PDB file of all heavy atoms in Angstrom:
ATOM      1  N   THR A  69       6.739   8.195 -28.270  1.00 63.00           N
ATOM      2  CA  THR A  69       7.543   9.394 -28.083  1.00 63.00           C
ATOM      3  C   THR A  69       6.848  10.292 -27.084  1.00 63.00           C
ATOM      4  O   THR A  69       5.715  10.718 -27.299  1.00 63.00           O
ATOM      5  CB  THR A  69       7.731  10.136 -29.415  1.00 63.00           C
ATOM      6  OG1 THR A  69       8.360   9.254 -30.344  1.00 63.00           O
ATOM      7  CG2 THR A  69       8.593  11.381 -29.228  1.00 63.00           C
ATOM      8  N   VAL A  70       7.519  10.536 -25.970  1.00 59.00           N
ATOM      9  CA  VAL A  70       6.950  11.371 -24.907  1.00 59.00           C
ATOM     10  C   VAL A  70       7.644  12.720 -24.946  1.00 59.00           C
ATOM     11  O   VAL A  70       8.866  12.807 -24.818  1.00 59.00           O
ATOM     12  CB  VAL A  70       7.130  10.719 -23.523  1.00 59.00           C
ATOM     13  CG1 VAL A  70       6.555  11.623 -22.440  1.00 59.00           C
ATOM     14  CG2 VAL A  70       6.458   9.358 -23.498  1.00 59.00           C
ATOM     15  N   THR A  71       6.879  13.732 -25.123  1.00 64.00           N
ATOM     16  CA  THR A  71       7.425  15.087 -25.153  1.00 64.00           C
ATOM     17  C   THR A  71       7.203  15.729 -23.797  1.00 64.00           C
ATOM     18  O   THR A  71       6.065  15.947 -23.378  1.00 64.00           O
ATOM     19  CB  THR A  71       6.751  15.924 -26.253  1.00 64.00           C
ATOM     20  OG1 THR A  71       6.921  15.258 -27.509  1.00 64.00           O
ATOM     21  CG2 THR A  71       7.363  17.315 -26.316  1.00 64.00           C
ATOM     22  N   ALA A  72       8.295  15.971 -23.093  1.00 63.00           N
ATOM     23  CA  ALA A  72       8.196  16.573 -21.761  1.00 63.00           C
ATOM     24  C   ALA A  72       7.863  18.050 -21.899  1.00 63.00           C
ATOM     25  O   ALA A  72       8.354  18.719 -22.816  1.00 63.00           O
ATOM     26  CB  ALA A  72       9.516  16.405 -21.005  1.00 63.00           C
ATOM     27  N   PRO A  73       7.023  18.551 -20.998  1.00 63.00           N
ATOM     28  CA  PRO A  73       6.703  19.982 -21.067  1.00 63.00           C
ATOM     29  C   PRO A  73       7.946  20.801 -20.750  1.00 63.00           C
ATOM     30  O   PRO A  73       8.826  20.370 -20.005  1.00 63.00           O
ATOM     31  CB  PRO A  73       5.639  20.150 -19.971  1.00 63.00           C
ATOM     32  CG  PRO A  73       5.874  18.995 -19.044  1.00 63.00           C
ATOM     33  CD  PRO A  73       6.361  17.872 -19.908  1.00 63.00           C
ATOM     34  N   PRO A  74       8.060  21.955 -21.333  1.00 65.00           N
ATOM     35  CA  PRO A  74       9.247  22.785 -21.070  1.00 65.00           C
ATOM     36  C   PRO A  74       9.338  23.157 -19.604  1.00 65.00           C
ATOM     37  O   PRO A  74       8.342  23.472 -18.957  1.00 65.00           O
ATOM     38  CB  PRO A  74       9.016  24.022 -21.955  1.00 65.00           C
ATOM     39  CG  PRO A  74       7.529  24.045 -22.194  1.00 65.00           C
ATOM     40  CD  PRO A  74       7.097  22.608 -22.216  1.00 65.00           C
ATOM     41  N   GLN A  75      10.536  23.042 -19.078  1.00 66.00           N
ATOM     42  CA  GLN A  75      10.759  23.368 -17.676  1.00 66.00           C
ATOM     43  C   GLN A  75      11.128  24.847 -17.538  1.00 66.00           C
ATOM     44  O   GLN A  75      11.900  25.378 -18.336  1.00 66.00           O
ATOM     45  CB  GLN A  75      11.886  22.499 -17.101  1.00 66.00           C
ATOM     46  CG  GLN A  75      11.580  21.014 -17.153  1.00 66.00           C
ATOM     47  CD  GLN A  75      10.425  20.649 -16.251  1.00 66.00           C
ATOM     48  OE1 GLN A  75      10.291  21.173 -15.142  1.00 66.00           O
ATOM     49  NE2 GLN A  75       9.573  19.748 -16.715  1.00 66.00           N
TER      50      GLN A  75
END
Side-chain angles (χ1 to χ4, degrees):
T69 302
V70 179
T71 303
Q75 299 294 321

